[in-house]
Amino acid sequence: MSRLRHVLSAQQLVDQELLGELFSSAAELEQQDKTRTLELPLRGRILATMFYEPSTRTRFSFEAAMQKLGGGVLTAENALDNSSASKGETIADTVRVVSGYADAIVLRHPAIGTAQVAADVSPVPIINAGDGAGEHPTQALIDIYTIRKELGRIEDLNIALVGDLRNGRTIHSLLPFFCKAPGISLTLISPPQLRLPGKYIRMLQEADTRFAETTRLARVEPADVVYVTRVQRERFSSEAEYDAVKDSYRIDLHVADSLKPRSIILHALPRTTEISPEVDQDARAAYFRQARNGLFVRMALLRYLLA
């Protein structure tokens, strides 16, 4: 496939040759980091992180990745209030300006499609770090890397997706990978109000990916991967609507013990009440390892785009 310029959607990342290149690079960079033998291929390059929504893992991991590769960082946290957006500047104008200072831009914004708007005017790579309830392609890349690292494969798996499937952009970005992998069977577990949107159901149907929808958490038991999502308060139009579903599911020790010994529990984080802290010590709890993997996957992606 042709080399990527921008990373806007998971659909751009499902190519097996590209995945192999990025995953091999991530594993190599992790080993170099452990042995303190990292080279500095991005010395003299600058990454701008523009976040119009809060972030911990995504922003910090991109910034740490850039610095570990020898580059520098310009950052705008809470950019809705702490940038010229507060004066009415458009995303397009902001990107035109910032692209004159940076070699790539990582953008998070509450509106679906904003990353594409940025890419349309940017002379430097745009990386979509989440556009509202749309997509979060680099998180999905991390998730697939983690599944392969933990289980040794990304095919022939039973996968349970639990929680806010309507608004969960990590779920939306994972589905193209699952549609490409052979032998995947999905169990979609959510309250009726938070079901997977129709366009993603149609994606699964068109790919002949096996799936079943249910409201019953007990259906996680046969899963190799249990992917849990936070009910996203910021996507609800009223507090009452959020309160009605916020505590729909909870992975506690009882649920964890019902899983297969070698299954894994993933979560893009942050969590609220959907995974009990007592589960953290269970070997199947892979979400903090997943977060750590994010550093090396994003290092690999930045090296791919900029070196």
Side-chain angles (χ1 to χ4, degrees):
M1 65 176 292
S2 60
R3 199 160 185 86
L4 293 182
R5 176 164 180 75
H6 305 291
V7 179
L8 309 178
S9 170
Q11 295 282 5
Q12 299 172 272
L13 301 171
V14 297
D15 178 80
Q16 290 300 307
E17 183 178 345
L18 176 59
L19 281 181
E21 179 180 348
L22 291 174
F23 289 174
S24 294
S25 178
E28 173 196 0
L29 289 164
E30 181 175 9
Q31 183 58 34
Q32 289 177 4
D33 188 61
K34 285 179 181 176
T35 57
R36 301 185 182 277
T37 57
L38 276 171
E39 300 173 358
L40 303 176
L42 301 188
R43 187 192 299 272
R45 297 296 193 103
I46 294 176
L47 178 71
T49 56
M50 295 170 50
F51 279 71
Y52 293 77
E53 284 190 323
S55 171
T56 300
R57 279 148 296 278
T58 302
R59 186 169 68 88
F60 281 3
S61 63
F62 265 116
E63 293 176 3
M66 190 64 177
Q67 293 183 59
K68 280 180 175 287
L69 293 171
V73 174
L74 300 173
T75 186
E77 184 187 13
N78 193 21
L80 278 176
D81 297 323
N82 296 331
S83 76
S84 290
S86 65
K87 304 173 185 178
E89 185 172 61
T90 66
I91 282 288
D93 281 359
T94 300
V95 167
R96 286 186 178 102
V97 171
V98 174
S99 63
Y101 309 144
D103 298 288
I105 297 171
V106 179
L107 176 65
R108 171 170 291 184
H109 197 277
I112 295 174
T114 304
Q116 183 64 64
V117 171
D120 288 342
V121 300
S122 178
V124 303
I126 298 292
I127 302 173
N128 181 6
D131 57 340
E135 286 205 49
H136 194 350
T138 66
Q139 181 62 54
L141 195 65
I142 293 160
D143 300 339
I144 296 298
Y145 179 78
T146 301
I147 292 170
R148 194 177 81 161
K149 187 175 179 182
E150 295 278 332
L151 300 179
R153 67 190 192 282
I154 54 175
E155 62 278 334
D156 299 318
L157 293 170
N158 292 316
I159 300 172
L161 305 176
V162 182
D164 188 348
L165 309 188
R166 182 184 74 185
N167 299 305
R169 58 193 173 200
T170 59
I171 297 294
H172 303 163
S173 289
L174 273 169
L175 293 178
F177 292 97
F178 294 151
C179 287
K180 285 285 187 179
I184 294 293
S185 180
L186 299 176
T187 303
L188 310 176
I189 303 173
S190 70
Q193 306 96 307
L194 300 181
R195 289 180 59 193
L196 192 67
K199 69 176 182 178
Y200 298 108
I201 294 293
R202 290 189 290 275
M203 177 193 296
L204 296 175
Q205 291 170 335
E206 290 168 4
D208 290 327
T209 300
R210 290 178 295 171
F211 72 94
E213 294 184 276
T214 182
T215 60
R216 297 177 56 235
L217 184 59
R219 292 286 298 276
V220 301
E221 291 183 10
D224 301 295
V225 179
V226 179
Y227 195 105
V228 187
T229 66
R230 173 179 62 91
V231 176
Q232 299 194 16
R233 184 176 195 162
E234 63 273 26
R235 311 291 177 215
F236 287 80
S237 58
S238 72
E239 197 70 18
E241 184 187 6
Y242 169 72
D243 287 342
V245 293
K246 65 179 182 180
D247 296 320
S248 296
Y249 304 114
R250 183 174 177 84
I251 306 294
D252 57 18
L253 278 180
H254 174 74
V255 175
D257 286 343
S258 73
L259 302 175
K260 295 185 286 189
R262 295 209 56 194
S263 61
I264 57 172
I265 303 168
L266 299 181
H267 193 308
L269 303 175
R271 65 175 164 188
T272 52
T273 62
E274 62 275 6
I275 299 180
S276 170
E278 64 187 3
V279 176
D280 296 353
Q281 303 308 313
D282 192 297
R284 288 164 287 204
Y287 31 89
F288 292 116
R289 300 192 294 274
Q290 177 187 1
R292 175 66 171 164
N293 289 337
L295 172 63
F296 304 110
V297 171
R298 288 179 170 129
M299 287 174 71
L301 184 63
L302 289 174
R303 185 167 71 171
Y304 168 88
L305 290 171
L306 296 176

